[in-house]
Amino acid sequence: MLDKDKIAGFIGNKILRLLSLLIVVCFVSFMLIQYSPIDPVRAYIGEMPVSAEHKANLEEYWGVNTPPQEKFLNWAGDALKGNFGISLIYRMPVTDVIKERFTASLVLMAASWLFSGILGFILGIIAGMKKGTWIDKTIKIYCYVLAATPTFWLALILLMVFSVYLGWFPIGLSVPIGVTAENVTFLDWFLRLILPALTLSLLGVAQIALFTREKLIEVLSSDYVLFAKARGEKGLDLVLRHGIRNVALPAITLQFLGFSELFGGTVLVEQVFSYPGIGQAAVAAGLRSDVPLLLGIVIVSACFVFFGNAIADLIYQFVDPRIKQQEASI
Amino acid sequence: MGYMENMGNMGNMENMENMGNMENKTKTTAKEKKKTEALLKVENISLSFIQYASGLRQTELKVISNLSIEAHSGEILAVVGSSGSGKSLLAHAILGILPSNAKLDGKMEYNGQQLTPEKKEEIRGKEIALVPQSTNYLDPLMRISNQVIGCVEEKNEGLMKKVQRDIFQKYDLKPDVDRMFPHELSGGMTRRVLVSTAVMSSAKLIIADEPTPGLDEKTLNETLSYFKDMANRGCAVILITHDIEAALKISDKIAVFYAGTVLEVANVEDFKNNGENLRHPYTRALWNALPQNKFQAIKGHQPMQDEVIDGCIFYERCSKKNELCSKGIPQLKSVNGGVVRCNNVS
């Protein structure tokens, strides 16, 4: 009963927070775009030559001279109804663009999130167990190098080595050029996913591995591990029984908190690999002044990061027995 | 449980004698065993830590020096000393769970066999059990019954679970405690759970490291009675504590720990009146510092661990010191049924 009430409270609280966050995010992004030197008419007509009269008509159509507050309210009103407008560069509803692009990105992000989480955790555990040995030092150096590596640079290196020199993987895009959608095989798509996912994973590994290592060393020097040793537990059994149990929860929480970095990394990686995901769309929308699409992406990405943080909170509050207990006693 | 009720009434030291009578039976059995070989013999051990001082210069910090004690089956040996004097490290040294930068010298024997690091690893948790001091020694994310059972093979799990339940039953720990996490336990429950871990192991040597900090009178006596029980069942118990009153209530012998060494091992009966029967000036000072005795503290403080002392470690504060005391560590002497490290005792 208590738990049910608590979960309802938690969800209610989160929804309220999300709503207030979205309102602020929308408002601020809208204002940023409003005061930036973006000309929607220019974005729409591109390089086409138009007459002054035609241009005035277009300005009238796009509402260039409407006051900003009215613009915002119009947009917000439509957005509430689920209509985010038409993307200027793709010439289709923003919701459709985001749906398509986000699905592609989600596969990429999920793959690298899982892979980096698992690999990072294992590396961290090994390094922590073997603290001070050459294995630990190797893993640490690897992590420091990766943590200092810019995403796009690593992406370029991988692309050069594996696609250009070795020719193991296709160079870019998510499907082969000149093949109709029905004829694209799973393998075609999968091969093009590997390098971007690998880039994102390799970078994600550093943070989680270093964190896991640090946490495991802390756990292994704790009183309860000392006592476990005194009771005859040792070696891998000891680490599995007490180490993993106490490190897993904070590590998983951290991995969920990393959604924002994951998203940021995706933008760059998709750009380098020309992977048609949400990140690439965001860059395109920004560069070519596609205001409706940009706002739509801002909202979706805010929700995405918020979702990650909410899950981290959820784990923290409902899975850890210590916190659970404290909350209940208040 | 009659024993415990009696313990509850014993607020002060004057009642110590009553207690002696009450425990007559155990005393005699303990005395018989004294003639037999000690279960654990610790001879002249020294423990130091290698540290990096300024720059890359290594220094050795000596925390235990020339320490000798013996633990006999059926007896409780209390190691009494002030907090922070390295008593816990003694326990860790016996169990072989010291940090990697520790250096241990000296001889240890268990049951007549040399206690090498390999031997320690083999028998800890089985023959020798530690009862730690607080809930910090329990895995915060593991349910109590799993912790108490410990690491066992799968096929034995059912059996061990039953044994654990029986022990908990005996210590009045209800079935719902099995599924609890350490933070949900009360102070008294924690104590009983920690004691259960030792009982579970069926060890012959129990080392209790400060098992009674911050306990109320009733819980304190209850906890002490558990150790008395263990001794009565034939275990050797080493009770490491800073609480001399608690130690006097149940122990057979008291080892007085001072600045990393044991100055005297006295029988519990020696602690009476003005401490005339006590051998070492420090022990006497300790006894007279108790509120119910003279309530007198002696001047000075224990030497720091990095101080190098040539003679008797108590020299600075001793009222009976002579020239001999400042040169060389006094030899361990057997006097009147106890042992002492002092030049002025014969």
Side-chain angles (χ1 to χ4, degrees), chain A residues 222-234 237 241-243 245-246 249 320-323 325-326, chain B residues 92 95 97 121 124-125 128 130 132 136-142 146-151 181 183-184 197:
Chain A
S222 70
D223 289 342
Y224 56 87
V225 166
L226 189 75
F227 182 47
K229 277 187 201 158
R231 300 189 67 204
E233 294 179 31
K234 60 188 169 195
D237 270 353
R241 231 171 104 80
H242 298 286
R245 180 187 301 266
N246 282 281
L249 216 53
D320 192 324
R322 286 164 294 184
I323 311 265
Q325 169 79 11
Q326 269 172 27
Chain B
H92 298 172
L95 287 156
I97 50 170
E121 195 174 316
R124 68 178 173 231
I128 307 180
L130 175 73
N136 286 351
Y137 288 79
L138 293 173
D139 188 328
L141 294 181
M142 195 185 279
N146 291 345
Q147 311 217 30
V148 172
I149 292 171
C151 208
F181 287 100
H183 66 266
E184 294 170 283
T197 62

Side-chain angles (χ1 to χ4, degrees), chain B residues 137-200:
Chain B
Y137 288 79
L138 293 173
D139 188 328
L141 294 181
M142 195 185 279
R143 295 191 189 278
I144 295 301
S145 70
N146 291 345
Q147 311 217 30
V148 172
I149 292 171
C151 208
V152 290
E153 284 171 57
E154 227 162 284
K155 62 176 188 316
N156 291 337
E157 223 171 82
L159 178 75
M160 295 307 262
K161 176 83 196 120
K162 212 182 146 293
V163 176
Q164 173 258 325
R165 190 70 279 225
D166 286 350
I167 295 171
F168 272 28
Q169 197 66 45
K170 204 181 90 192
Y171 286 122
D172 197 22
L173 289 162
K174 301 209 165 51
D176 56 336
V177 178
D178 291 9
R179 306 261 316 142
M180 282 186 179
F181 287 100
H183 66 266
E184 294 170 283
L185 301 176
S186 71
M189 280 153 88
T190 305
R191 205 62 42 209
R192 280 173 275 162
V193 166
L194 292 173
V195 170
S196 305
T197 62
V199 177
M200 191 83 199

Side-chain angles (χ1 to χ4, degrees), chain B residues 262-277:
Chain B
V262 166
L263 293 179
E264 172 174 359
V265 181
N267 294 316
V268 76
E269 305 88 55
D270 300 335
F271 289 84
K272 61 179 179 197
N273 305 332
N274 287 330
E276 309 82 47
N277 291 352

Side-chain angles (χ1 to χ4, degrees), chain B residues 3-289:
Chain B
Y3 171 70
M4 265 170 55
E5 278 153 31
N6 271 315
M7 296 274 295
N9 300 330
M10 305 218 334
N12 54 38
M13 284 295 125
E14 271 80 21
N15 286 341
M16 279 313 302
E17 247 113 338
N18 297 341
M19 170 134 178
N21 297 333
M22 198 179 76
E23 292 297 321
N24 246 343
K25 216 175 122 219
T26 33
K27 278 282 147 58
T28 42
T29 52
K31 282 225 171 79
E32 281 159 23
K33 275 181 186 141
K34 255 175 220 168
K35 291 174 195 111
T36 61
E37 197 64 2
L39 183 66
L40 178 81
K41 247 190 204 167
V42 175
E43 260 174 74
N44 268 324
I45 61 158
S46 294
L47 175 66
S48 47
F49 285 99
I50 295 156
Q51 288 188 324
Y52 282 96
S54 53
L56 289 171
R57 210 159 40 82
Q58 278 190 342
T59 55
E60 260 191 51
L61 190 68
K62 210 158 194 171
V63 287
I64 292 179
S65 51
N66 308 89
L67 183 147
S68 304
I69 50 167
E70 282 183 3
H72 294 261
S73 297
E75 262 187 31
I76 298 181
L77 168 76
V79 176
V80 179
S82 55
S83 305
S85 55
K87 302 188 300 290
S88 295
L89 289 169
L90 172 64
H92 298 172
I94 296 170
L95 287 156
I97 50 170
L98 291 164
S100 55
N101 63 335
K103 197 167 140 269
L104 182 67
D105 293 316
K107 225 174 96 185
M108 282 192 214
E109 257 178 39
Y110 176 81
N111 218 355
Q113 277 181 300
Q114 191 86 287
L115 204 48
T116 57
E118 297 77 38
K119 182 81 182 161
K120 283 178 192 170
E121 195 174 316
E122 188 195 318
I123 64 171
R124 68 178 173 231
K126 300 189 190 82
E127 301 261 325
I128 307 180
L130 175 73
V131 178
Q133 50 178 307
S134 69
T135 179
N136 286 351
Y137 288 79
L138 293 173
D139 188 328
L141 294 181
M142 195 185 279
R143 295 191 189 278
I144 295 301
S145 70
N146 291 345
Q147 311 217 30
V148 172
I149 292 171
C151 208
V152 290
E153 284 171 57
E154 227 162 284
K155 62 176 188 316
N156 291 337
E157 223 171 82
L159 178 75
M160 295 307 262
K161 176 83 196 120
K162 212 182 146 293
V163 176
Q164 173 258 325
R165 190 70 279 225
D166 286 350
I167 295 171
F168 272 28
Q169 197 66 45
K170 204 181 90 192
Y171 286 122
D172 197 22
L173 289 162
K174 301 209 165 51
D176 56 336
V177 178
D178 291 9
R179 306 261 316 142
M180 282 186 179
F181 287 100
H183 66 266
E184 294 170 283
L185 301 176
S186 71
M189 280 153 88
T190 305
R191 205 62 42 209
R192 280 173 275 162
V193 166
L194 292 173
V195 170
S196 305
T197 62
V199 177
M200 191 83 199
S201 69
S202 64
K204 296 193 188 74
L205 173 65
I206 313 281
I207 304 174
D209 183 11
E210 292 280 8
T212 59
L215 293 182
D216 59 85
E217 190 74 22
K218 185 171 159 284
T219 324
L220 176 88
N221 288 329
E222 204 179 300
T223 308
L224 291 177
S225 73
Y226 301 145
F227 294 111
K228 192 78 214 175
D229 273 356
M230 289 179 187
N232 289 347
R233 279 203 310 273
C235 292
V237 179
I238 299 180
L239 180 71
I240 296 176
T241 181
H242 66 272
D243 187 349
I244 189 163
E245 291 176 57
L248 286 170
K249 284 184 190 173
I250 59 160
S251 307
D252 299 286
K253 283 185 194 153
I254 310 267
V256 179
F257 194 92
Y258 181 81
T261 195
V262 166
L263 293 179
E264 172 174 359
V265 181
N267 294 316
V268 76
E269 305 88 55
D270 300 335
F271 289 84
K272 61 179 179 197
N273 305 332
N274 287 330
E276 309 82 47
N277 291 352
L278 296 170
R279 296 153 196 85
H280 200 281
Y282 177 67
T283 320
R284 226 168 288 137
L286 202 64
W287 173 244
N288 287 327

